[in-house]
Amino acid sequence: MITRKRAFRGALTLTVVLGFAAAALPAGAAERTPTAERTPTAERTPAAEAAYARVTAPAPSNAAASSSSSDARLRELLHRLTAVDGAPGAFVETRDRRGSTVLTDGVADVKRRTPLDPDSRFRIGSMTKTFTATAMLQLVGERRVHLDAPVERYLPGVVRGHGNDGRRITVRQLLQHTGGLPDFLDHFDPRDIVMDPLAHRDPLDLVNIALAHPPEFAPGAGWSYSNTGYLLVGMIIERVTGNTYGEEIERRVIEPLGLSETSVPGDDPTIPGPHPRGYVRPGDDAPLLDITAVNPSVGGAAGGMISSGSDVNRFLGALLGGELLHPAQLGEMMRTRPTGGSDGRRYGLGLESKPLPRGGRYWGHTGDFLGYETAAGATVDGRQATVMVNLGPGSSDAQSDDIQAAVETALSRGRSAVSAGQR
């Protein structure tokens, strides 16, 4: 969810300088993690090592060389995330028609030095948007919401002020970040979260923070990532169905797919099941702060969910495989526009696509929530990968780059052999 990392890190640095964070967090939450003490793969116990690389089905021999090369590169990237980029731990789960593999590096808890559990749950940040968009597009398929209807139809009088007008912004534009709405995170002080991490944040209050500022551009005239829009999407889901957006995601996505490690926690600050501690690094030389327990309502329908590598991969595979949306709605979701970057990234409706280094494109989303940074991707031929580090925001943009490289490497795993077998 949190996309303005440099500003966020700067504000957190100020928090530490002023001494607020130490008072806000539980005793012992701050912990420095010297690089020299990180736990490399070779130091794991036999039980942890068995969990470290879990392969649920053997790969065919014609894919072995390509997979082995990709696995070596993945291990290198995971170790770079912990040894160079500064994350306590890093995790990747890959999945294809042959089975799944989990690789980890570093630790889940900097005090106890425990390895990451292969079944770890974590906060997925803005990957929540893909779940939220899926629920909304199901409502579109049921003709209960119209993509090109104005927001005003569903939330009368809500989007007003400083040039923002819900009569001119459509539901589609909320989903695609083309409505021009300011992102509330550009105007939200992250010190408020650090000082009171368990406080409830009402979505309308967060929306109103954004609406106190002029739009980025006229509706439809540009592209600018806005968490505000997805808070409004969640509010529309609730207005149309009479249920919370979380209840609708559970009913429409989580339960049908059997995603037992996925939840929409509402105000619950805990992460159920095995999970790594989540940390923030306020500055380059500052100690890590443990912020695992935080009220996810600040993310809401834009970034508040919890999941696991296996569940995210299952979700993306089912989504691209047509299990969750009718062809018309899936087509709308995958109808993309450029985001203006040089990396070829394009954004659809809660789903983005990006070129793979070896050709083709993949689909997925990134996520950044206090304590965790994540990214996931999938291909239409049945490969998925989810990467997580338990540090967010990181101390540099290199962490995000290496996470993205890990997703792309994982999705390229065995690709040449698979492609050859399909000719």
Side-chain angles (χ1 to χ4, degrees), residues 25-326:
L25 296 173
E31 185 79 17
R32 185 178 298 275
T33 311
T35 300
E37 296 179 7
R38 285 193 175 85
T39 305
T41 304
E43 295 177 9
R44 289 187 177 86
T45 64
E49 182 63 26
Y52 168 82
R54 185 186 68 217
V55 181
T56 59
S61 58
N62 65 350
S66 178
S67 294
S68 176
S69 174
S70 295
D71 282 353
R73 174 60 175 157
L74 270 178
R75 291 175 187 269
E76 176 188 334
L77 284 165
L78 290 185
H79 190 62
R80 179 178 175 82
L81 281 162
T82 62
V84 179
D85 299 337
F91 165 104
V92 59
E93 173 151 336
T94 63
R95 181 174 180 262
D96 59 24
R97 294 188 180 97
R98 297 183 297 271
S100 64
T101 303
V102 175
L103 303 174
T104 72
D105 196 280
V107 297
D109 185 322
V110 298
K111 293 179 67 176
R112 294 178 175 84
R113 315 304 298 168
T114 51
L116 276 78
D117 192 299
D119 295 316
S120 289
R121 281 77 154 166
F122 42 85
R123 302 192 190 281
I124 63 172
S126 278
M127 285 197 284
T128 300
K129 291 180 174 67
T130 312
F131 287 83
T132 300
T134 300
M136 174 59 83
L137 285 165
Q138 287 188 7
L139 291 171
V140 171
E142 296 164 8
R143 300 184 182 277
R144 299 171 71 182
V145 175
H146 296 278
L147 275 177
D148 295 310
V151 175
E152 180 77 7
R153 177 182 298 184
Y154 307 104
L155 300 175
V158 170
V159 181
R160 289 285 197 282
H162 294 86
N164 301 288
D165 190 344
R167 294 167 295 188
R168 301 177 58 213
I169 301 170
T170 67
V171 174
R172 182 192 302 275
Q173 290 168 344
L174 295 183
L175 290 166
Q176 199 162 32
H177 304 295
T178 56
L181 287 172
D183 191 340
F184 78 88
L185 285 174
D186 285 342
H187 310 284
F188 184 84
D189 191 340
R191 288 173 292 180
D192 292 344
I193 304 176
V194 177
M195 292 175 65
D196 193 1
L198 303 184
H200 169 77
R201 270 86 183 178
D202 185 81
L204 184 57
D205 291 342
L206 298 176
V207 167
N208 286 334
I209 290 174
L211 298 181
H213 302 273
E216 300 289 330
F217 45 78
W223 188 91
S224 182
Y225 195 86
S226 176
N227 289 287
T228 309
Y230 270 79
L231 295 180
L232 290 166
V233 170
M235 293 166 66
I236 292 173
I237 290 172
E238 294 182 351
R239 183 67 62 91
V240 168
T241 65
N243 300 317
T244 69
Y245 80 89
E247 289 170 337
E248 288 298 309
I249 289 174
E250 288 172 5
R251 183 173 73 85
R252 295 171 176 274
V253 180
I254 295 174
E255 292 176 2
L257 295 182
L259 305 181
S260 60
E261 298 167 353
T262 301
S263 60
V264 187
D267 282 332
D268 188 347
T270 62
I271 301 176
H275 61 274
R277 307 297 297 176
Y279 300 93
V280 296
R281 187 182 298 281
D284 291 343
D285 298 319
L288 293 177
L289 301 177
D290 186 330
I291 197 162
T292 309
V294 61
N295 189 319
S297 61
V298 69
M305 287 181 63
I306 292 167
S307 193
S308 67
S310 58
D311 272 10
V312 170
N313 287 343
R314 166 71 177 125
F315 165 64
L316 287 177
L319 180 62
L320 296 186
E323 295 181 44
L324 292 170
L325 295 174
H326 295 304

Side-chain angles (χ1 to χ4, degrees), residues 321-370:
E323 295 181 44
L324 292 170
L325 295 174
H326 295 304
Q329 282 70 57
L330 183 58
E332 294 285 7
M333 179 179 250
M334 298 176 74
R335 199 167 89 186
T336 61
R337 58 153 297 152
T339 62
S342 60
D343 59 357
R345 190 185 306 268
R346 300 179 64 90
Y347 204 92
L349 305 185
L351 189 68
E352 60 185 15
S353 75
K354 195 168 178 286
L356 279 169
R358 299 183 186 177
R361 300 187 72 86
Y362 69 96
W363 299 85
H365 215 287
T366 57
D368 200 352
F369 195 89
L370 282 168

